[in-house]
Amino acid sequence: MLQLIGRSSSHFTRVAAMFAHELGVPYELVAVHDITSSDSQVFAGNPALKLPSLRTESGLVFGCENICRKLARLSTRPRRIVWPEQEEDDEARNAHELLWHAMAAQVQWVIGTMVAKLPADNVYFAKGRAGFEGALQWLDAHVEAVLRALPPRDLSLFEVALFCLVEHLTFRQSLPVAPYPRLVAFAQTFGQRPSAQATPYRFDAR
Ligand SMILES: N[C@@H](CCC(=O)N[C@@H](CS)C(=O)NCC(=O)O)C(=O)O
């Protein structure tokens, strides 16, 4: 059984979990409870002290995109998956860049202001938040065109990650989603997939 080391409350973990569901790869979630720890063993040996990681027979795979690619290799289910490198136009590539940025900005905001309780008006967080909102505004304005241009597929990393990000904004109450109606509409539709229904955000019990 594969072990997904992460948290049910983490958007990066959920991307990997949704890929596992979509690809029919069974896994066991091993919850990381203390994300403030500086002990890499708490993160199953990830030296960057980050999650998620995937433990397989052959070792550890760090990071959600790596994990998704590994799951695709392990899956016996034929699925047409669109990876970032298959999206060649500038708009789609910019969308990926801003999506990864927004996901990282969400981590910065949550860890900095909610977990570490540092002042949100510090320039580090104020600028981080402005860039976070800017990325979301851009994604909201371009999402429909980017989705239309995606190649025929069963699954894309872009859509799964975008869905996980948008739902996480509300789950962690970091930013209001009302200014991003196209992202909300996308998430409502994408959220009907069984893989989304099977992986709702929640805080893992200790
Ligand atoms: N590059 C990593 C980023 C993962 C990441 O930032 N995970 C967050 C949780 S959603 C984390 O580990 N936060 C703990 C921290 O930043 O200290 C990936 O793609 O998986």
Side-chain angles (χ1 to χ4, degrees), residues 7 9-13 35-37 43 48-53 62-67 100 103-104 107-108 111 168:
R7 287 158 70 96
S9 54
S10 143
H11 51 344
F12 282 105
T13 303
I35 49 167
T36 64
S37 177
F43 297 85
L49 311 177
K50 288 285 205 174
L51 56 95
S53 298
F62 305 134
C64 92
E65 182 171 347
N66 261 348
I67 294 171
W100 290 138
M103 290 180 75
V107 173
Q108 177 193 1
I111 300 282
H168 204 251

Tab-separated table of all heavy atoms in Angstrom, residues 7 9-13 35-37 43 48-53 62-67 100 103-104 107-108 111 168, ligand 1:
chain	number	residue	atom	x	y	z
A	7	ARG	N	-1.665	16.054	4.730
A	7	ARG	CA	-2.759	16.465	5.608
A	7	ARG	C	-4.035	16.573	4.775
A	7	ARG	O	-3.994	17.087	3.645
A	7	ARG	CB	-2.468	17.841	6.228
A	7	ARG	CG	-1.403	17.813	7.294
A	7	ARG	CD	-0.768	19.166	7.511
A	7	ARG	NE	-1.630	20.152	8.144
A	7	ARG	CZ	-1.658	20.423	9.438
A	7	ARG	NH1	-0.870	19.758	10.267
A	7	ARG	NH2	-2.446	21.358	9.914
A	9	SER	N	-6.192	18.630	5.260
A	9	SER	CA	-6.503	20.065	5.193
A	9	SER	C	-5.590	20.806	4.234
A	9	SER	O	-5.674	22.031	4.126
A	9	SER	CB	-6.357	20.670	6.593
A	9	SER	OG	-5.065	20.366	7.118
A	10	SER	N	-4.715	20.087	3.522
A	10	SER	CA	-3.695	20.735	2.669
A	10	SER	C	-4.093	20.680	1.192
A	10	SER	O	-4.460	19.604	0.683
A	10	SER	CB	-2.350	20.035	2.892
A	10	SER	OG	-1.601	19.923	1.708
A	11	HIS	N	-4.020	21.835	0.510
A	11	HIS	CA	-4.398	21.838	-0.912
A	11	HIS	C	-3.399	21.058	-1.761
A	11	HIS	O	-3.791	20.366	-2.702
A	11	HIS	CB	-4.623	23.261	-1.447
A	11	HIS	CG	-3.530	24.251	-1.184
A	11	HIS	ND1	-2.541	24.069	-0.253
A	11	HIS	CD2	-3.267	25.452	-1.757
A	11	HIS	CE1	-1.736	25.120	-0.250
A	11	HIS	NE2	-2.152	25.974	-1.171
A	12	PHE	N	-2.093	21.110	-1.423
A	12	PHE	CA	-1.127	20.328	-2.196
A	12	PHE	C	-1.374	18.826	-2.001
A	12	PHE	O	-1.281	18.045	-2.938
A	12	PHE	CB	0.305	20.686	-1.789
A	12	PHE	CG	0.806	21.991	-2.370
A	12	PHE	CD1	0.918	23.133	-1.584
A	12	PHE	CD2	1.180	22.081	-3.700
A	12	PHE	CE1	1.399	24.329	-2.118
A	12	PHE	CE2	1.658	23.271	-4.237
A	12	PHE	CZ	1.763	24.400	-3.449
A	13	THR	N	-1.692	18.425	-0.769
A	13	THR	CA	-1.986	17.009	-0.524
A	13	THR	C	-3.219	16.579	-1.302
A	13	THR	O	-3.275	15.481	-1.874
A	13	THR	CB	-2.225	16.764	0.984
A	13	THR	OG1	-1.077	17.195	1.717
A	13	THR	CG2	-2.489	15.295	1.275
A	35	ILE	N	2.932	20.840	11.625
A	35	ILE	CA	3.667	21.409	10.485
A	35	ILE	C	4.695	22.439	10.931
A	35	ILE	O	5.469	22.938	10.124
A	35	ILE	CB	2.739	22.038	9.416
A	35	ILE	CG1	1.716	22.971	10.030
A	35	ILE	CG2	2.115	21.005	8.539
A	35	ILE	CD1	1.033	23.825	8.980
A	36	THR	N	4.702	22.791	12.225
A	36	THR	CA	5.700	23.761	12.702
A	36	THR	C	7.011	23.065	13.101
A	36	THR	O	7.979	23.736	13.449
A	36	THR	CB	5.168	24.554	13.920
A	36	THR	OG1	4.965	23.641	14.996
A	36	THR	CG2	3.879	25.278	13.588
A	37	SER	N	7.032	21.744	13.041
A	37	SER	CA	8.225	21.018	13.494
A	37	SER	C	9.417	21.270	12.575
A	37	SER	O	9.259	21.447	11.367
A	37	SER	CB	7.909	19.516	13.528
A	37	SER	OG	9.078	18.806	13.887
A	43	PHE	N	8.120	14.911	8.848
A	43	PHE	CA	7.681	15.013	7.457
A	43	PHE	C	8.155	13.789	6.670
A	43	PHE	O	8.450	13.878	5.482
A	43	PHE	CB	8.216	16.306	6.827
A	43	PHE	CG	7.689	17.551	7.503
A	43	PHE	CD1	8.307	18.071	8.629
A	43	PHE	CD2	6.545	18.190	7.035
A	43	PHE	CE1	7.814	19.202	9.272
A	43	PHE	CE2	6.048	19.325	7.663
A	43	PHE	CZ	6.683	19.823	8.790
A	48	ALA	N	13.046	19.311	3.241
A	48	ALA	CA	12.531	20.683	3.124
A	48	ALA	C	11.442	20.954	4.167
A	48	ALA	O	10.927	22.072	4.236
A	48	ALA	CB	11.988	20.917	1.716
A	49	LEU	N	11.090	19.938	4.958
A	49	LEU	CA	10.050	20.080	5.998
A	49	LEU	C	8.713	20.490	5.373
A	49	LEU	O	8.012	21.371	5.897
A	49	LEU	CB	10.484	21.083	7.079
A	49	LEU	CG	11.893	20.881	7.653
A	49	LEU	CD1	12.229	21.979	8.645
A	49	LEU	CD2	12.028	19.511	8.315
A	50	LYS	N	8.405	19.874	4.245
A	50	LYS	CA	7.183	20.180	3.506
A	50	LYS	C	6.379	18.910	3.301
A	50	LYS	O	6.896	17.798	3.375
A	50	LYS	CB	7.557	20.755	2.132
A	50	LYS	CG	8.117	22.176	2.177
A	50	LYS	CD	7.012	23.160	2.431
A	50	LYS	CE	7.319	24.548	1.921
A	50	LYS	NZ	6.174	25.438	2.051
A	51	LEU	N	5.135	19.068	2.973
A	51	LEU	CA	4.272	17.964	2.592
A	51	LEU	C	3.470	18.402	1.360
A	51	LEU	O	3.331	19.614	1.127
A	51	LEU	CB	3.371	17.570	3.766
A	51	LEU	CG	2.494	18.696	4.379
A	51	LEU	CD1	1.110	18.700	3.784
A	51	LEU	CD2	2.446	18.535	5.894
A	52	PRO	N	3.036	17.443	0.543
A	52	PRO	CA	3.018	15.987	0.727
A	52	PRO	C	4.272	15.305	0.181
A	52	PRO	O	5.011	15.867	-0.600
A	52	PRO	CB	1.819	15.579	-0.127
A	52	PRO	CG	1.863	16.524	-1.291
A	52	PRO	CD	2.316	17.841	-0.687
A	53	SER	N	4.428	14.022	0.631
A	53	SER	CA	5.380	13.088	0.029
A	53	SER	C	4.630	11.776	-0.179
A	53	SER	O	3.591	11.543	0.446
A	53	SER	CB	6.579	12.838	0.946
A	53	SER	OG	7.285	14.036	1.181
A	62	PHE	N	8.942	13.461	-3.329
A	62	PHE	CA	8.596	14.730	-2.679
A	62	PHE	C	7.791	15.626	-3.610
A	62	PHE	O	8.158	15.830	-4.772
A	62	PHE	CB	9.865	15.504	-2.287
A	62	PHE	CG	10.831	14.746	-1.414
A	62	PHE	CD1	12.191	14.743	-1.695
A	62	PHE	CD2	10.387	14.057	-0.294
A	62	PHE	CE1	13.094	14.068	-0.885
A	62	PHE	CE2	11.276	13.372	0.524
A	62	PHE	CZ	12.631	13.381	0.222
A	63	GLY	N	6.727	16.247	-3.088
A	63	GLY	CA	6.027	17.304	-3.829
A	63	GLY	C	4.877	16.801	-4.666
A	63	GLY	O	4.911	15.714	-5.238
A	64	CYS	N	3.831	17.642	-4.751
A	64	CYS	CA	2.574	17.147	-5.343
A	64	CYS	C	2.686	16.838	-6.829
A	64	CYS	O	2.150	15.838	-7.290
A	64	CYS	CB	1.410	18.075	-5.004
A	64	CYS	SG	1.061	19.354	-6.178
A	65	GLU	N	3.419	17.634	-7.600
A	65	GLU	CA	3.491	17.324	-9.041
A	65	GLU	C	4.255	16.025	-9.284
A	65	GLU	O	3.837	15.179	-10.072
A	65	GLU	CB	4.127	18.489	-9.806
A	65	GLU	CG	4.180	18.210	-11.303
A	65	GLU	CD	4.598	19.401	-12.142
A	65	GLU	OE1	4.619	20.537	-11.637
A	65	GLU	OE2	4.908	19.167	-13.331
A	66	ASN	N	5.375	15.859	-8.574
A	66	ASN	CA	6.138	14.604	-8.672
A	66	ASN	C	5.268	13.414	-8.315
A	66	ASN	O	5.325	12.361	-8.950
A	66	ASN	CB	7.288	14.629	-7.657
A	66	ASN	CG	8.602	15.022	-8.283
A	66	ASN	OD1	8.718	15.062	-9.489
A	66	ASN	ND2	9.572	15.305	-7.439
A	67	ILE	N	4.474	13.587	-7.260
A	67	ILE	CA	3.624	12.484	-6.800
A	67	ILE	C	2.592	12.145	-7.875
A	67	ILE	O	2.345	10.974	-8.184
A	67	ILE	CB	2.942	12.844	-5.466
A	67	ILE	CG1	3.985	12.984	-4.365
A	67	ILE	CG2	1.895	11.805	-5.089
A	67	ILE	CD1	3.447	13.538	-3.050
A	100	TRP	N	0.553	28.028	-9.486
A	100	TRP	CA	1.535	27.563	-8.489
A	100	TRP	C	1.879	28.700	-7.527
A	100	TRP	O	2.062	28.495	-6.338
A	100	TRP	CB	2.810	27.055	-9.158
A	100	TRP	CG	2.687	25.773	-9.918
A	100	TRP	CD1	3.244	25.516	-11.133
A	100	TRP	CD2	1.995	24.559	-9.541
A	100	TRP	NE1	2.936	24.230	-11.530
A	100	TRP	CE2	2.183	23.620	-10.578
A	100	TRP	CE3	1.245	24.163	-8.440
A	100	TRP	CZ2	1.642	22.334	-10.551
A	100	TRP	CZ3	0.690	22.880	-8.405
A	100	TRP	CH2	0.889	21.988	-9.445
A	103	MET	N	-0.922	29.072	-5.017
A	103	MET	CA	-0.923	27.985	-4.029
A	103	MET	C	0.166	28.208	-2.983
A	103	MET	O	-0.046	27.990	-1.786
A	103	MET	CB	-0.763	26.627	-4.725
A	103	MET	CG	-2.008	26.260	-5.519
A	103	MET	SD	-1.891	24.679	-6.358
A	103	MET	CE	-2.094	23.509	-5.004
A	104	ALA	N	1.332	28.680	-3.437
A	104	ALA	CA	2.421	28.964	-2.490
A	104	ALA	C	2.087	30.187	-1.633
A	104	ALA	O	2.401	30.225	-0.433
A	104	ALA	CB	3.724	29.187	-3.257
A	107	VAL	N	-0.018	29.213	1.208
A	107	VAL	CA	0.773	28.601	2.294
A	107	VAL	C	1.448	29.700	3.109
A	107	VAL	O	1.415	29.697	4.345
A	107	VAL	CB	1.836	27.622	1.715
A	107	VAL	CG1	2.764	27.115	2.826
A	107	VAL	CG2	1.168	26.455	1.001
A	108	GLN	N	2.035	30.688	2.414
A	108	GLN	CA	2.713	31.794	3.111
A	108	GLN	C	1.744	32.512	4.046
A	108	GLN	O	2.052	32.808	5.206
A	108	GLN	CB	3.267	32.780	2.073
A	108	GLN	CG	3.930	34.001	2.676
A	108	GLN	CD	4.186	35.099	1.629
A	108	GLN	OE1	3.847	34.948	0.453
A	108	GLN	NE2	4.779	36.184	2.052
A	111	ILE	N	0.449	29.940	6.963
A	111	ILE	CA	1.499	29.635	7.955
A	111	ILE	C	1.919	30.920	8.692
A	111	ILE	O	2.076	30.936	9.909
A	111	ILE	CB	2.750	29.013	7.279
A	111	ILE	CG1	2.382	27.714	6.556
A	111	ILE	CG2	3.871	28.788	8.306
A	111	ILE	CD1	2.209	26.509	7.416
A	168	HIS	N	-9.826	25.676	-1.173
A	168	HIS	CA	-9.026	25.904	0.029
A	168	HIS	C	-9.164	27.335	0.544
A	168	HIS	O	-9.051	27.586	1.743
A	168	HIS	CB	-7.551	25.598	-0.278
A	168	HIS	CG	-6.735	25.233	0.915
A	168	HIS	ND1	-5.781	26.061	1.427
A	168	HIS	CD2	-6.732	24.136	1.707
A	168	HIS	CE1	-5.218	25.482	2.485
A	168	HIS	NE2	-5.778	24.309	2.676
B	1	LIG	N1	6.508	22.360	-3.605
B	1	LIG	C1	5.649	21.667	-2.666
B	1	LIG	C2	4.952	22.676	-1.775
B	1	LIG	C3	4.133	22.014	-0.722
B	1	LIG	C4	3.693	22.930	0.393
B	1	LIG	O1	3.965	24.142	0.428
B	1	LIG	N2	2.987	22.316	1.338
B	1	LIG	C5	2.529	23.007	2.517
B	1	LIG	C6	1.212	22.408	3.009
B	1	LIG	S1	-0.126	22.650	1.874
B	1	LIG	C7	3.549	22.835	3.615
B	1	LIG	O2	4.318	21.902	3.616
B	1	LIG	N3	3.545	23.763	4.569
B	1	LIG	C8	4.402	23.721	5.705
B	1	LIG	C9	5.366	24.868	5.689
B	1	LIG	O3	5.414	25.622	4.694
B	1	LIG	O4	6.060	25.049	6.675
B	1	LIG	C10	4.656	20.789	-3.443
B	1	LIG	O5	4.441	21.079	-4.634
B	1	LIG	O6	4.118	19.824	-2.906
